């Protein structure tokens, strides 16, 4: 029996790593999918601080099939894999580590997940974008926008020097994207077809939210706390939320781990219930 077929019948371990990670909804989504698919798999959250990824991965046994990586580990994973997918190489970040037959494959489901989340909410043509923040998630979001046809991206950050990797990744997109940087706290209104926020809710000041008031599509990658100031101010505009992104990228991860189509609606429903439970707590 092939290894993957055996995996569908025996307990297999997966998990999400990061710091902080206790808030992650990934265990809720993946466990709901395993239950729906009838898989005796486990998926847990593990706090792994910066600098600790190599030791964690080196200590894994053969029962491990996949890891979801969140901050601050997405770029730390790059030198630890045997093979990178094209999209992970382009993003310069790994959010998915597939462990199969002794090989570590680094992938990035944030790119197609972000594109799917946006297109689930709007079919409007998108040519220009503003991305708030300059980290690994900003890279993935910007590349997803380029995949959707965006040709001009402004990366708004507090310290432009810290966005160098993100700017380089966006400029390397094969479609050719005009990328520029600007200050996050400038007074001028943001002019774009879509604004994507990758900054914490606490960084979404009244003035920043006001700057983005004229952008017709708002995408905030956060899901907890929710709504963020930016999301709360969206009003009648198109709003793409962090749960949208999380569900789509997790569904892609699940397919990579199991080889099975992900039960998207079961995962989304589990995520909504978990967030509702948190809001009541």
């Amino acid at each position: 029996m092939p290894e993957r077929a055996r995996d569908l019948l025996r307990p297999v371990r997966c998990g999400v790593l990061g710091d902080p990670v206790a808030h992650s909804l990934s265990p809720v989504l993946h466990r709901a999918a395993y239950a729906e698919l009838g898989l005796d798999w486990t998926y847990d959250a593990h706090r792994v601080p910066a600098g600790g990824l190599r030791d964690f991965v080196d200590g894994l046994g053969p029962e491990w099939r996949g890891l979801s990586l969140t901050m601050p580990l997405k770029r730390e994973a790059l030198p630890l894999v045997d093979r990178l997918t094209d999209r992970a190489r382009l993003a310069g970040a790994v959010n998915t580590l597939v462990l199969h037959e002794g090989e570590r494959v680094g992938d990035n489901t944030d790119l197609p997940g972000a594109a799917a989340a946006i297109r689930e909410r709007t079919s409007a043509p998108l040519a220009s974008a503003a991305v708030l923040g300059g980290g690994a998630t900003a890279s993935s979001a910007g590349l997803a926008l380029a995949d959707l046809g965006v040709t001009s991206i402004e990366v708004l950050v507090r310290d432009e020097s810290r966005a160098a990797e993100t700017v380089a990744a966006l400029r390397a997109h094969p479609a050719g994207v005009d990328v520029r940087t600007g200050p996050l706290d400038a007074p001028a209104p943001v002019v774009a077809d879509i604004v994507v926020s990758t900054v914490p809710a606490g960084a979404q000041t009244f003035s920043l939210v006001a700057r983005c008031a004229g952008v017709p599509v708002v995408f905030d990658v956060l899901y907890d706390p929710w709504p963020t100031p930016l999301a709360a101010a969206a009003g009648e505009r198109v709003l793409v939320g962090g749960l949208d992104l999380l569900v789509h990228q997790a569904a892609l991860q699940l397919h990579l781990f199991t080889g099975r189509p992900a039960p998207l609606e079961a995962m989304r429903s589990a995520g909504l219930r978990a967030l509702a439970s948190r809001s009541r707590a």
Side-chain angles (χ1 to χ4, degrees):
M1 182 183 295
E3 181 179 350
R4 175 158 287 186
R6 290 197 302 270
D7 285 346
L8 298 178
L9 301 174
R10 70 186 184 192
V12 176
R13 297 186 68 182
C14 298
V16 57
L17 315 182
D19 185 21
V21 76
H23 69 288
S24 176
L25 274 185
S26 291
V28 171
L29 303 187
H30 282 259
R31 289 170 185 170
Y34 299 158
E36 186 77 9
L37 296 174
L39 298 178
D40 185 18
W41 288 31
T42 62
Y43 187 106
D44 299 298
H46 301 266
R47 179 179 173 270
V48 178
L53 183 59
R54 181 181 294 276
D55 286 345
F56 186 95
V57 174
D58 286 349
L60 298 180
E63 72 277 15
W64 286 83
R65 167 48 60 88
L67 300 173
S68 309
L69 304 180
T70 186
M71 296 303 291
L73 305 175
K74 293 182 179 183
R75 286 177 173 151
E76 189 172 319
L78 291 169
L80 306 183
V81 303
D82 301 305
R83 179 164 57 89
L84 279 175
T85 63
D86 290 342
R87 59 194 180 197
R89 182 177 295 104
L90 185 62
V94 171
N95 84 320
T96 307
L97 190 58
V98 182
L99 310 170
H100 184 56
E101 296 181 346
E103 184 182 40
R104 301 172 182 173
V105 179
D107 205 343
N108 191 310
T109 64
D110 282 336
L111 270 71
I118 292 168
R119 282 303 175 221
E120 183 178 39
R121 299 298 178 186
T122 179
S123 59
L126 303 171
S128 61
V131 176
L132 312 182
T137 303
S139 295
S140 299
L143 291 168
L145 292 168
D147 286 345
L148 292 176
V150 169
T151 57
S152 175
I153 298 176
E154 184 174 21
V155 181
L156 302 177
V157 288
R158 284 201 177 95
D159 182 353
E160 295 185 32
S161 66
R162 298 183 64 180
E165 288 182 89
T166 291
V167 170
L170 299 184
R171 287 177 175 163
H173 192 282
V177 182
D178 175 32
V179 184
R180 61 193 185 280
T181 60
L184 194 63
D185 56 357
V190 173
V191 179
D193 295 325
I194 181 172
V195 58
V196 182
S197 175
T198 69
V199 301
Q204 297 179 13
T205 62
F206 177 82
S207 59
L208 178 60
V209 172
R211 288 187 67 195
C212 300
V215 182
V217 180
V218 177
F219 182 5
D220 197 317
V221 305
L222 298 181
Y223 57 84
D224 189 11
W226 189 263
T228 63
L230 193 65
E236 298 301 313
R237 292 178 288 165
V238 174
L239 176 61
V240 186
L243 183 60
D244 298 325
L245 170 61
L246 186 67
V247 168
H248 280 286
Q249 68 84 21
L252 292 163
Q253 285 182 337
L254 187 104
H255 179 67
L256 290 171
F257 295 164
T258 69
R260 302 270 293 275
L264 195 69
E265 290 312 311
M267 298 170 75
R268 190 195 309 274
S269 296
L272 288 170
R273 288 194 299 271
L275 287 177
S277 176
R278 290 182 185 184
S279 68
R280 292 193 298 267

